[in-house]
Amino acid sequence: MSSVVLPRIMEIGGGTIINLPKILQSIRSKKPLIVTDKMMVQLGYLDKLQSILQEAGIESDVYADTIPEPTSASIQAGIEKVKSGLFDAVIALGGGSPIDSAKAIAVIGKFGGTINEYRFPRQFNEQGLPVIAIPTTAGTGSECTRFTIITDEKTDEKLLCIGTGFMPVAAIIDYELTISVPARTTADTGIDAMTHAIEAYVSRKANLYSDSQAIAAMKLIGPNLRKVYHNGNNKAAREAMILGSTLAGIAFSNSSVALVHGMSRPIGAFFHVPHGLSNAMLLPAVTRFSLDAAKERYAECARALTFAKLTDSDDVAGEKLLTTLADLNKEFSVPTPEQFGINKTRFFEVVEIMAKQAEASGSPGNNPRIPTIAEMVAIYKQMWN
């Protein structure tokens, strides 16, 4: 049994951003609000978007104050814009943070309340303003998921919000928008996408549909992750990565993420580590912890990612997966928490709280091996060392 939810329209390929007016016309939108961030303004992507709209005679307004790892405060002014009633759609332009911000703005702007009222385990299935998501990283897959994650800055907790109300109506998957992404962000977002595909595949909620998307995603991501890191202008590799990221998003949106994501969110909330980077810090240790509970599944991941040969036994493929994940972190200069600049005393003070927040998110319960609080604390401590 799986109930699949997807964007109604997906435009895929280089240059497809030109189809934005056609999508707006199909959903009868005359006045969209563009939700983006300062980086998209600097890179000229916002200008490009607005000139495409102007040529089609569509007038738009902009909220460009979203931040990385969005908070309830950072989206408030966007919510007020939607509450003014002037807009009939939201266009999300950027990485996962602007897209997550846009989803929350589109829902809360229409239905009111605070982000806390929408948090898991509530399922929110009513349609807010229609969202058209245009990802510029490969990436979070947020353009095709029924999730959004917003931090409650009062408690330093990342709130996971779930429901078809958070699913964009349309997504434009244009790899040309990812060419300018710097190597650090390319690595972080690429590992995030790879983690989505692996976790969707080993999750206890995995199903035939999500499996097919996860395997396809891994086949695109595995052979191209290093290529885009070392040469951002490799168009074929960029195209493979953004499609892989989208398919990985579809996979986990229709199964679930697991322990890496559950433990990653609190690190982001407490220490402002970018989401993909905290995933990368955790992925080798969590995979080692979980491996024996789903050996065949992890072996399949290793083969699909091309980290192991198709003829390798499950044991050999599993070991190659662990080795390659550690090697990738070295190659991509993924810092330890200490190298990132996290204060050791503070880190060890909050490991227990982080483990409890991880458990509350529900994600660790989908892991092949379900951890106790004490086991999560041990993984956090191992991560430090």
Side-chain angles (χ1 to χ4, degrees):
M1 281 283 291
S2 44
S3 132
V4 175
V5 187
L6 294 167
R8 196 163 77 219
I9 305 162
M10 293 174 81
E11 297 280 352
I12 299 171
T16 44
I17 194 170
I18 204 78
N19 297 330
L20 179 59
K22 191 177 75 179
I23 293 172
L24 287 166
Q25 281 146 10
S26 77
I27 63 168
R28 298 193 166 81
S29 165
K30 294 190 168 56
K31 183 79 194 284
L33 174 67
I34 301 169
V35 173
T36 189
D37 61 21
K38 295 282 183 268
M39 183 54 74
M40 294 298 111
V41 179
Q42 277 169 22
L43 289 171
Y45 288 168
L46 177 65
D47 282 348
K48 182 175 180 174
L49 202 63
Q50 286 195 296
S51 62
I52 290 169
L53 294 177
Q54 272 159 2
E55 277 168 36
I58 298 169
E59 129 186 50
S60 61
D61 194 5
V62 181
Y63 178 64
D65 290 331
T66 67
I67 58 169
E69 318 299 316
T71 64
S72 52
S74 76
I75 57 173
Q76 199 51 46
I79 290 168
E80 298 308 324
K81 273 187 182 272
V82 168
K83 279 185 177 163
S84 71
L86 298 171
F87 304 100
D88 53 17
V90 174
I91 298 167
L93 173 70
S97 297
I99 297 175
D100 276 3
S101 300
K103 291 177 176 187
I105 286 167
V107 166
I108 301 173
K110 180 170 172 181
F111 295 104
T114 65
I115 195 71
N116 248 306
E117 292 164 41
Y118 293 86
R119 69 181 300 175
F120 176 82
R122 182 180 182 185
Q123 294 273 338
F124 191 80
N125 295 330
E126 291 170 74
Q127 191 57 59
L129 286 195
V131 173
I132 298 161
I134 308 172
T136 59
T137 62
T140 62
S142 190
E143 68 277 2
C144 55
T145 72
R146 58 180 111 180
F147 307 114
T148 189
I149 294 169
I150 308 289
T151 301
D152 178 353
E153 68 281 351
K154 291 188 185 74
T155 57
D156 265 343
E157 185 174 3
K158 279 197 174 190
L159 306 179
L160 176 64
C161 306
I162 297 182
T164 53
F166 297 107
M167 175 63 74
V169 167
I172 297 177
I173 317 298
D174 183 344
Y175 77 87
E176 288 176 7
L177 300 175
T178 67
I179 302 274
S180 59
V181 176
R184 171 77 274 144
T185 310
T186 296
D188 295 349
T189 52
I191 289 178
D192 189 25
M194 178 172 71
T195 307
H196 290 152
I198 294 172
E199 292 211 296
Y201 196 69
V202 301
S203 163
R204 288 168 176 260
K205 291 184 178 167
N207 53 71
L208 273 174
Y209 178 78
S210 62
D211 282 355
S212 67
Q213 306 298 302
I215 289 287
M218 287 188 266
K219 285 179 175 175
L220 289 164
I221 294 165
N224 289 292
L225 188 52
R226 286 184 168 103
K227 288 179 189 170
V228 286
Y229 177 73
H230 293 294
N231 174 14
N233 293 316
N234 183 331
K235 288 184 177 175
R238 286 285 193 194
E239 186 165 23
M241 283 300 296
I242 198 168
L243 183 57
S245 164
T246 298
L247 294 176
I250 291 171
F252 88 81
S253 185
N254 291 289
S255 64
S256 71
V257 286
L259 183 55
V260 176
H261 274 76
M263 290 182 65
S264 171
R265 291 186 207 110
I267 298 172
F270 276 101
F271 302 107
H272 308 293
V273 179
H275 173 67
L277 197 55
S278 52
N279 277 350
M281 290 173 177
L282 282 158
L283 187 57
V286 169
T287 306
R288 185 171 290 285
F289 172 82
S290 312
L291 187 62
D292 287 345
K295 197 169 273 181
E296 283 176 25
R297 289 246 146 192
Y298 279 111
E300 283 300 321
C301 290
R303 295 182 195 111
L305 288 160
T306 65
F307 298 166
K309 293 195 185 86
L310 296 177
T311 50
D312 285 337
S313 70
D314 288 352
D315 284 340
V316 170
E319 279 307 314
K320 282 185 177 177
L321 179 62
L322 291 174
T323 311
T324 311
L325 293 178
D327 288 348
L328 281 173
N329 277 6
K330 282 195 197 89
E331 190 173 331
F332 296 164
S333 307
V334 171
T336 62
E338 190 167 24
Q339 287 163 342
F340 185 80
I342 293 173
N343 177 291
K344 186 174 183 176
T345 312
R346 176 77 179 135
F347 186 83
F348 280 86
E349 264 171 17
V350 298
V351 282
E352 190 94 16
I353 300 168
M354 291 200 297
K356 285 176 178 160
Q357 286 186 0
E359 187 172 68
S361 76
S363 302
N366 304 321
N367 205 56
R369 178 181 172 190
I370 298 175
T372 61
I373 295 283
E375 283 170 330
M376 284 192 272
V377 167
I379 294 170
Y380 278 131
K381 288 178 174 173
Q382 184 189 339
M383 187 185 147
W384 184 272
N385 302 318

